[in-house]
Amino acid sequence: KVREDFSGRTYLALAFPVPEAGVSSKPYSVLKTILGMRLCKKDSCDKHGQTTSFYVPYTKSSGLWGFYIDASSPTDSNELIENCIKELKQVGNNDTFTLDLEMAKNQLTVQKASDLETNGTNVLLSSFLNKISPIEYSNYQMITGPDVIGAAKKSISSIPSYVILGKTAGVLSY
């Protein structure tokens, strides 16, 4: 029945805690964006499966970030999650990612500035709850490589959450 409901696909999520809120959580958002760009470059977005990174900030204390995987088989899901973890470890091991870092910071700054223009009320409320100005809330340019490396290392050393649905036989357990 479950296999029918999910059309024989495997859905998996791996989430890591974001221990802080506000400006302190920005490196996690940049890390998520960098990994999202890297995973799509490695052709993990193909007919066998798709990887999407996510970031769910909570306004007052903490949040989650991680990966969603939608794969055609448990074998494909194993390969995709291994690619995600490998990329996360590479960032944590100080792999060179200067270009990715600048692209991610620019992308997030433009996105947040656009949000301020189109959905000002939510951005103003979020910046107020995080006790920072709307400009500071929208600006990611101050995030450095060591900030992102630190976020990756904290994520690697944390206890992740792992969820799997659909065709689960043969999927790795973490």
Side-chain angles (χ1 to χ4, degrees), residues 58-108:
Y58 297 141
T59 54
K60 292 194 177 182
S61 61
S62 63
L64 295 171
W65 83 271
F67 308 101
Y68 288 128
I69 294 185
D70 168 3
S72 58
S73 73
T75 304
D76 291 334
S77 70
N78 291 341
E79 183 181 323
L80 291 170
I81 197 69
E82 287 170 357
N83 284 341
C84 293
I85 293 167
K86 178 183 164 193
E87 289 296 329
L88 175 60
K89 286 181 177 180
Q90 283 182 347
V91 172
N93 289 332
N94 199 13
D95 186 22
T96 55
F97 59 93
T98 307
L99 181 60
D100 289 341
L101 175 65
E102 292 306 315
M103 288 173 56
K105 291 188 322 185
N106 291 337
Q107 179 181 340
L108 286 165

Side-chain angles (χ1 to χ4, degrees), residues 38-47 49 79-80 83:
R38 283 182 167 199
L39 291 168
C40 280
K41 282 182 188 174
K42 289 197 176 273
D43 294 325
S44 60
C45 303
D46 63 14
K47 65 181 178 181
E79 183 181 323
L80 291 170
N83 284 341

Side-chain angles (χ1 to χ4, degrees), residues 1-163:
K1 173 99 174 103
V2 171
R3 288 184 183 174
E4 289 174 18
D5 292 345
F6 291 103
S7 302
R9 296 193 67 80
T10 302
Y11 300 93
L12 183 141
L14 181 65
F16 302 95
V18 177
E20 301 133 357
V23 176
S24 302
S25 68
K26 284 186 173 186
Y28 293 90
S29 188
V30 173
L31 174 62
K32 183 236 29 140
T33 304
I34 289 170
L35 291 173
M37 291 186 302
R38 283 182 167 199
L39 291 168
C40 280
K41 282 182 188 174
K42 289 197 176 273
D43 294 325
S44 60
C45 303
D46 63 14
K47 65 181 178 181
H48 299 291
Q50 179 176 343
T51 303
T52 308
S53 53
F54 68 88
Y55 177 66
V56 184
Y58 297 141
T59 54
K60 292 194 177 182
S61 61
S62 63
L64 295 171
W65 83 271
F67 308 101
Y68 288 128
I69 294 185
D70 168 3
S72 58
S73 73
T75 304
D76 291 334
S77 70
N78 291 341
E79 183 181 323
L80 291 170
I81 197 69
E82 287 170 357
N83 284 341
C84 293
I85 293 167
K86 178 183 164 193
E87 289 296 329
L88 175 60
K89 286 181 177 180
Q90 283 182 347
V91 172
N93 289 332
N94 199 13
D95 186 22
T96 55
F97 59 93
T98 307
L99 181 60
D100 289 341
L101 175 65
E102 292 306 315
M103 288 173 56
K105 291 188 322 185
N106 291 337
Q107 179 181 340
L108 286 165
T109 299
V110 168
Q111 178 186 348
K112 293 296 182 179
S114 175
D115 288 349
L116 182 59
E117 216 173 273
T118 59
N119 199 3
T121 306
N122 285 343
V123 173
L124 291 172
L125 180 60
S126 293
S127 67
F128 173 76
L129 291 173
N130 287 301
K131 298 178 180 156
I132 56 176
S133 73
I135 301 300
E136 190 178 5
Y137 178 80
S138 301
N139 186 4
Y140 281 77
Q141 296 307 315
M142 75 291 242
I143 304 301
T144 63
D147 294 334
V148 177
I149 291 168
K153 285 182 177 181
K154 283 182 184 175
S155 296
I156 291 166
S157 66
S158 69
I159 298 172
S161 297
Y162 181 69
V163 177

